[in-house]
Amino acid sequence: MCSCIMRWCINLCFAALLFCFVVLFWSYVSDYYCAKILHEYSLIDMLFLFLLILLCTIFYCHVIYTLYVFHSGDDPNTKAIAIYMETIGDARSFMSAAREVAMTKPIIVIKPGRTEQAAAAAASHTGSLTGRDDVLDAAFKRCGVLRVNKIREVFEIIELLGKQPRPRGKYLTIVTNAGGPGVISTDALIDSGGKLAWLSDETMHQLNQLLPPHWSKANPIDLLGDATPDTYAKAVTIAAQNQYSDGILIVLTPQSMTDPTETARRIAEVSKKIRGTKPILASWMGGAGVMGARAILDEAEIPTYDYPDSAAEMFSYMFQYSVNVSQLYQCPRWCAEMHPESQMVDSILTRAQSAGRTMLTEFESKQILSAYGIPTVRTILARGAEEAVRAANEIGYPVVVKINSETITHKTDVGGVKLNLISPEQVREAFDSIHEAVESKFEKGDFLGVTCQPMVDDRDAYELIVGASPDDQFGPVMMFGSGGTLVEVYQDRSLALPPLNSNLAHLMMKDTKIYKALKGVRGKSSVDIHALEKLIVNFSHLVMEKWNYISEIEINPLLASSSARGGCVALDARVILHPPVDAGSTADPHSIIRPAIRPYPSQYEQQFVSKKGRVMLIRAIMPEDEPLIVDFHKRISEESVYTRYLSDMRYEDRVSHNRLIRVCHVDYDRDIAIIAMDQSSSTGKLVAAARLTKEHGRNTAEFSMLVADDYQGEGLGGKLLRELIEHAKADGLDAIEAVVLQTNRAMIHVAEKAGFECIYDKEEGVVKQFLNLRDPHMPISMEEMKLRRFSAPICI
């Protein structure tokens, strides 16, 4: 009891110190920010922040980050969100919140535990696992979160994102009056993932006319030590016009002929002309001697840094943030109909688990890969030496002979692989050798014969690895990288959370060193990148569909070559299953971590014929539907707007970009939005939309719906509501709720027809609708309905 009280006291002190540290550090970084906080935030707001930190510290609440992100995302005064995170807690809830909010506000996370020692320290402090660091990086990228490593970087990147546009690419132009800082900036840029921009011929021509003959003739653009304010301004203007540049870093070192203040004033004028096209960063070196110049730049909303290497790193962070946000627009599709042979896969997996096995044979593993469209080499089972010879004769020499076992994982380590066999005698010798090697080290039952496969010519091919394994927080995590027997030595890999589409698969490939070779190097042809992308996508479908069976799956080696030489083919595969609860049964589904990201729900795609005979396409909403939503709202009457939003809502407000980002971008976990498209019209216009939004902290959801005026009364509302109800049932929700005006008779009728109980609240002038999914026959009273909290979901 005493130790428990002591721990609470220590945590309380830690929370107070952390709160004070945040405020003091912020004030140290910028007096402006400190004054802004004290001016715009009340004592209650500050107390809420303190209590939030206190709750994080004392209870280590796994929901607190999710609630914090949702609360800050809905707060109009919050422009950016910063989080210190030791453990992510409920990974799926956090990612759902982050994916929704990151579209409109940057989320910056500083998370310790990148080293084993720091992870151990964090674990002892929080009492929970910090999570694999590389998996967390992959998760943050997928949900639009930017991770930084230093406290000062949190504030610097928030300032930068608030003042400058995000770069379209990673290519930076550096303009400086000293070579040394330019070189140091270049090192920092390259090390952090950025690149120097190439100077176009037109840019070179203009700079040659402007600058002295001895200028650097390259990027970084060294203006030399006698550069005047006018030279700086003209050089930056020229650099900004370079089509190959995505951003500009201006470095000034105080020299005898330098005028820092006037140069800052001229740069501020230039920035106004190019504002919004490319980010501009500055490093005015010189400490107190250049404070006046830095104030001018700050007023012009140009972030200024003490040292140019810090500025270069911030540009790379900006680019990484742009890449992360771009991943939010990716909607990987998946449904069972994509792979019709998946039922055959189920029989293989169920049979193995029922037999108490946790590992498939290579032959079974390749059957599963083939069912998901992943090319494999022809493989024939052989239980005896003569059977192996017949298989080799059928395939054609040279061949490969491998051990077939339900228990031995790494075949090469036990001498279970024999390559390039060119005769029946060599096949017999290989069979006997493998048999003897296995029986000398393992049980007799571990040897089930061999598999015979063709020897694939790999002279112009690369050995890769594609795999997936479970994470304690994020569920299945995919891996891609350099493969073969030295995979642990090379450690060249990238991670991603399934499901994937072609764009996400390509980004995953680009994060590895082997990618450069795959595109062609030293006279070797490029591998079939498109085929490799398709293979990775199909592999992610396999992982998503069979995650409740498969614990680990690995293709190694995956041979990749040009399309002329066969493209991609899986030479070997290994599948590890979740252990069954007991003999003759399957794995316990409650003990398995489900995937952290839901795929685009293709199962909702269907045709629907309205009462007037118009053919409609029903499907889930996608990020690229924003123009369709804008057009949809043009055709909505003021009466429909009032009955839907319970108030007058201007057209300009309904179609604002910031609002439609959250309308069209859903994670299909917390939100699901279904739309109807009129395929009878030539344009395929959007005519109806419905949305189901889960409520925070409750296993219920609210629905909202809007149907275009000229399509009302055709059965669209009822169809969309039935789809939402089926989704809620499949998701295990307890109830669905809604609130509508008493004058909205059409919506009341649709809900009652679907089984909703409608309670008329005369005091508020609304009808509260409730559907009990757990017990449809259990009525709800007016008093209970009044106690229930009805919020306004984002809707359409």
Side-chain angles (χ1 to χ4, degrees):
M1 180 67 179
C2 292
S3 62
C4 181
I5 294 175
M6 180 65 71
R7 181 178 177 84
W8 276 56
C9 291
I10 292 173
N11 284 326
L12 180 61
C13 294
F14 177 80
L17 288 172
L18 182 60
F19 175 77
C20 294
F21 171 77
V22 170
V23 174
L24 289 174
F25 182 83
W26 204 325
S27 65
Y28 171 76
V29 171
S30 172
D31 292 337
Y32 167 76
Y33 283 132
C34 186
K36 187 178 179 67
I37 290 176
L38 295 175
H39 175 70
E40 294 190 0
Y41 293 91
S42 66
L43 184 61
I44 295 177
D45 293 326
M46 301 287 278
L47 182 60
F48 172 78
L49 176 60
F50 173 72
L51 290 175
L52 196 62
I53 296 174
L54 180 62
L55 285 171
C56 291
T57 310
I58 295 179
F59 298 108
Y60 312 124
C61 180
H62 288 178
V63 185
I64 203 72
Y65 294 124
T66 302
L67 295 177
Y68 173 64
V69 170
F70 275 130
H71 171 80
S72 302
D74 292 334
D75 178 23
N77 295 319
T78 300
K79 306 304 179 186
I81 301 170
I83 300 174
Y84 170 80
M85 178 185 293
E86 288 190 0
T87 177
I88 196 170
D90 188 339
R92 189 165 189 170
S93 295
F94 174 79
M95 292 193 67
S96 175
R99 284 168 64 84
E100 178 180 322
V101 175
M103 299 295 296
T104 54
K105 299 178 182 181
I107 303 175
I108 316 300
V109 169
I110 179 169
K111 186 188 180 304
R114 288 179 288 113
T115 62
E116 291 184 8
Q117 293 85 349
S124 64
H125 169 242
T126 62
S128 57
L129 295 175
T130 61
R132 286 169 51 192
D133 200 64
D134 49 1
V135 176
L136 286 166
D137 276 340
F140 288 152
K141 290 177 182 178
R142 189 66 181 273
C143 63
V145 170
L146 178 63
R147 180 182 182 179
V148 297
N149 298 320
K150 300 173 183 176
I151 295 176
R152 66 168 176 80
E153 292 174 346
V154 175
F155 300 98
E156 288 177 347
I157 193 64
I158 288 177
E159 179 192 17
L160 181 54
L161 291 172
K163 290 183 175 181
Q164 293 292 322
R166 298 199 304 266
R168 297 194 177 105
K170 58 183 176 181
Y171 295 93
L172 179 67
T173 300
I174 302 173
V175 180
T176 178
N177 68 341
V183 174
I184 292 173
S185 303
T186 301
D187 280 340
L189 177 69
I190 303 302
D191 289 344
S192 57
K195 297 287 185 182
L196 283 176
W198 181 70
L199 301 181
S200 67
D201 293 341
E202 177 62 25
T203 302
M204 288 291 294
H205 175 71
Q206 294 182 30
L207 290 174
N208 283 329
Q209 289 185 322
L210 172 68
L211 302 176
H214 300 296
W215 77 280
S216 60
K217 301 289 195 303
N219 185 14
I221 302 172
D222 187 354
L223 308 179
L224 304 180
D226 59 351
T228 64
D230 186 61
T231 302
Y232 258 105
K234 291 180 179 179
V236 170
T237 301
I238 294 171
Q241 296 170 353
N242 180 20
Q243 59 181 323
Y244 302 107
S245 177
D246 300 307
I248 301 171
L249 168 58
I250 309 166
V251 182
L252 181 141
T253 61
Q255 301 184 34
S256 58
M257 300 181 66
T258 305
D259 188 342
T261 303
E262 182 58 29
T263 302
R265 190 171 290 110
R266 294 298 305 276
I267 293 300
E269 295 171 358
V270 171
S271 71
K272 293 179 182 178
K273 299 177 182 178
I274 60 177
R275 180 175 299 279
T277 58
K278 297 177 182 179
I280 299 178
L281 297 81
S283 175
W284 251 237
M285 304 174 68
V290 295
M291 291 305 293
R294 294 185 62 165
I296 295 173
L297 295 171
D298 184 63
E299 187 177 350
E301 296 195 335
I302 300 175
T304 311
Y305 303 87
D306 292 328
Y307 305 107
D309 51 343
S310 298
E313 291 171 349
M314 286 300 105
F315 174 80
S316 295
Y317 272 133
M318 275 189 95
F319 168 69
Q320 184 58 59
Y321 175 69
S322 298
V323 173
N324 293 359
V325 171
S326 70
Q327 293 194 35
L328 295 174
Y329 288 91
Q330 304 300 322
C331 291
R333 292 170 173 263
W334 167 81
C335 64
E337 289 73 18
M338 288 183 175
H339 305 284
E341 296 184 39
S342 63
Q343 290 184 348
M344 179 269 289
V345 174
D346 285 342
S347 65
I348 295 175
L349 297 172
T350 303
R351 186 171 60 248
Q353 282 191 330
S354 299
R357 293 162 50 195
T358 58
M359 190 178 80
L360 300 185
T361 65
E362 180 190 353
F363 186 76
E364 291 171 326
S365 301
K366 287 182 177 177
Q367 283 183 299
I368 291 175
L369 295 181
S370 297
Y372 279 82
I374 298 173
T376 61
V377 292
R378 185 184 179 190
T379 303
I380 300 178
L381 281 173
R383 297 186 179 277
E386 293 307 315
E387 195 175 342
V389 170
R390 287 195 296 272
N393 291 335
E394 181 180 339
I395 292 172
Y397 296 95
V399 297
V400 177
V401 173
K402 300 180 183 180
I403 181 178
N404 183 45
S405 174
E406 296 176 350
T407 56
I408 298 175
T409 305
H410 298 289
K411 308 176 186 68
T412 307
D413 294 347
V414 298
V417 179
K418 303 297 180 182
L419 304 173
N420 205 26
L421 307 179
I422 59 174
S423 67
E425 291 75 18
Q426 288 186 351
V427 172
R428 290 189 186 94
E429 291 175 6
F431 183 93
D432 294 337
S433 174
I434 293 173
H435 192 184
E436 292 173 5
V438 172
E439 290 199 342
S440 65
K441 300 177 182 178
F442 299 91
E443 299 293 331
K444 186 176 181 179
D446 293 327
F447 181 78
L448 301 177
V450 298
T451 60
C452 210
Q453 307 167 22
M455 182 71 190
V456 179
D457 183 5
D458 61 352
R459 285 173 296 178
D460 291 322
Y462 295 95
E463 289 187 332
L464 305 174
I465 182 173
V466 177
S469 59
D471 180 79
D472 292 336
Q473 295 173 318
F474 293 96
V477 179
M478 286 181 56
M479 176 187 68
F480 170 85
S482 301
T485 56
L486 298 178
V487 61
E488 288 87 1
V489 177
Y490 291 142
Q491 289 289 309
D492 177 27
R493 64 175 188 176
S494 66
L495 303 181
L497 299 182
L500 304 178
N501 58 15
S502 295
N503 290 334
L504 294 172
H506 195 85
L507 285 173
M508 188 182 186
M509 292 158 53
K510 287 179 68 175
D511 279 343
T512 61
K513 296 177 182 176
I514 193 69
Y515 175 75
K516 186 175 182 180
L518 296 179
K519 295 184 68 178
V521 65
R522 294 185 178 274
K524 294 180 69 172
S525 301
S526 168
V527 306
D528 192 339
I529 296 292
H530 177 71
L532 188 54
E533 288 175 358
K534 184 178 179 181
L535 185 148
I536 294 174
V537 170
N538 286 343
F539 187 85
S540 79
H541 293 167
L542 168 59
V543 173
M544 286 297 296
E545 189 168 348
K546 307 304 177 188
W547 63 271
N548 54 332
Y549 287 102
I550 297 175
S551 174
E552 299 179 34
I553 180 170
E554 178 183 290
I555 304 174
N556 185 26
L558 170 67
L559 212 60
S561 59
S562 64
S563 56
R565 296 186 61 84
C568 302
V569 60
L571 299 187
D572 204 350
R574 182 171 67 103
V575 177
I576 306 296
L577 306 180
H578 293 292
V581 177
D582 49 50
S585 68
T586 57
D588 179 11
H590 301 292
S591 65
I592 304 171
I593 306 299
R594 60 180 179 172
I597 299 176
R598 277 192 172 177
Y600 176 82
S602 302
Q603 66 267 26
Y604 291 112
E605 293 187 358
Q606 56 184 290
Q607 283 193 337
F608 172 74
V609 180
S610 72
K611 292 179 180 179
K612 291 185 178 180
R614 293 194 270 204
V615 180
M616 306 290 174
L617 172 64
I618 308 294
R619 65 168 174 83
I621 201 167
M622 294 187 290
E624 52 263 37
D625 289 331
E626 185 173 331
L628 294 175
I629 297 293
V630 173
D631 177 69
F632 174 59
H633 277 282
K634 290 179 181 177
R635 295 178 276 110
I636 302 298
S637 68
E638 293 183 5
E639 181 183 355
S640 293
V641 170
Y642 186 82
T643 56
R644 170 48 267 170
Y645 298 103
L646 310 185
S647 63
D648 293 320
M649 189 175 183
R650 295 188 311 149
Y651 169 78
E652 292 78 11
D653 296 330
R654 301 198 311 271
V655 300
S656 67
H657 178 62
N658 285 339
R659 179 179 178 276
L660 291 188
I661 282 178
R662 298 186 69 177
V663 166
C664 297
H665 186 277
V666 297
D667 67 349
Y668 313 113
D669 185 27
R670 179 178 176 265
D671 285 300
I672 182 72
I674 303 174
I675 61 175
M677 307 279 296
D678 183 2
Q679 292 189 307
S680 303
S681 66
S682 58
T683 57
K685 58 185 178 182
L686 190 153
V687 297
R691 190 184 195 98
L692 193 69
T693 303
K694 292 180 184 177
E695 299 184 47
H696 304 311
R698 294 169 58 194
N699 195 35
T700 61
E702 292 185 52
F703 87 86
S704 52
M705 187 180 302
L706 188 58
V707 180
D709 292 63
D710 50 343
Y711 284 81
Q712 294 177 7
E714 295 192 41
L716 271 175
K719 172 62 177 175
L720 295 183
L721 183 54
R722 289 193 296 272
E723 292 295 331
L724 293 183
I725 293 173
E726 290 303 313
H727 174 82
K729 290 179 178 178
D731 229 25
L733 294 179
D734 294 333
I736 304 177
E737 305 168 347
V739 58
V740 299
L741 290 174
Q742 293 182 3
T743 55
N744 193 354
R745 299 301 308 169
M747 193 64 248
I748 294 172
H749 174 71
V750 169
E752 287 179 333
K753 192 175 180 181
F756 279 77
E757 187 174 358
C758 296
I759 306 295
Y760 288 77
D761 189 336
K762 295 182 180 179
E763 294 179 8
E764 297 185 20
V766 298
V767 176
K768 295 180 178 179
Q769 301 168 321
F770 182 83
L771 178 63
N772 191 332
L773 298 176
R774 291 295 182 191
D775 188 357
H777 303 291
M778 178 68 71
I780 187 169
S781 66
M782 182 65 179
E783 289 71 24
E784 289 179 285
M785 291 294 283
K786 285 185 176 182
L787 291 174
R788 304 190 76 86
R789 176 184 57 83
F790 285 84
S791 60
I794 297 172
C795 190
I796 297 298

